[in-house]
Amino acid sequence: MGIEEYGGGQGPQSDILVVTTNDVPGHRVEQVIGEVFGLTVRSRHLGSQIGAGLKSMVGGELKGLTKTLVQTRNQAMDRLIEQARARGANAVLAFRFDVTEAADVGTEVCAYGTAVVLARE
């Protein structure tokens, strides 16, 4: 697997800016729309679970699980961006991920932040 399969984040042409900071240099917040989030729950693939169990005995990265988590985070972020866009935002500030186990059957990933309308200063 190439490095592109382990990354995430926005593409260069996104109409919604997503940042982990509370402000954006050169911009002012014109309107705070409020919290937005994108949520997804992924079940574990039996084959990857068995492979992960075997790999844990000898050590090393669990590449199948890493790839699944990247895909899950990207899906949650895509949903966050769609919600922000639908509510009229052009940016999401204070962006974060929250990852938890979901009833021992999968992984819940929530991408969240504050939807705002930014304007150049």
Side-chain angles (χ1 to χ4, degrees), residues 86-104:
R87 294 181 64 192
N90 66 358
V92 176
L93 304 180
F95 170 73
R96 303 288 188 269
F97 280 113
D98 186 41
V99 180
T100 58
E101 292 299 309
D104 293 331

Side-chain angles (χ1 to χ4, degrees), residues 3-119:
I3 191 67
E4 66 279 354
E5 294 182 85
Y6 292 104
Q10 295 180 272
Q13 303 301 323
S14 180
D15 61 327
I16 305 289
L17 177 65
V18 179
V19 297
T20 59
T21 57
N22 293 328
D23 52 23
V24 177
H27 294 77
R28 70 179 183 286
V29 174
E30 281 194 339
Q31 179 185 1
V32 175
I33 294 171
E35 181 189 11
V36 289
F37 67 90
L39 181 68
T40 186
V41 178
R42 291 272 177 115
S43 65
R44 294 187 191 101
H45 182 274
L46 181 59
S48 67
Q49 284 297 97
I50 292 170
L54 295 172
K55 186 74 168 186
S56 68
M57 292 190 294
V58 296
E61 181 181 10
L62 306 174
K63 291 184 180 184
L65 292 178
T66 300
K67 188 174 178 182
T68 298
L69 186 54
V70 167
Q71 292 168 343
T72 304
R73 286 172 60 121
N74 288 342
Q75 184 178 46
M77 186 170 181
D78 289 346
R79 289 177 177 175
L80 166 116
I81 290 168
E82 287 303 314
Q83 187 181 53
R85 183 180 294 117
R87 294 181 64 192
N90 66 358
V92 176
L93 304 180
F95 170 73
R96 303 288 188 269
F97 280 113
D98 186 41
V99 180
T100 58
E101 292 299 309
D104 293 331
V105 296
T107 302
E108 172 191 333
V109 175
C110 182
Y112 64 96
T114 303
V116 300
V117 174
L118 290 181

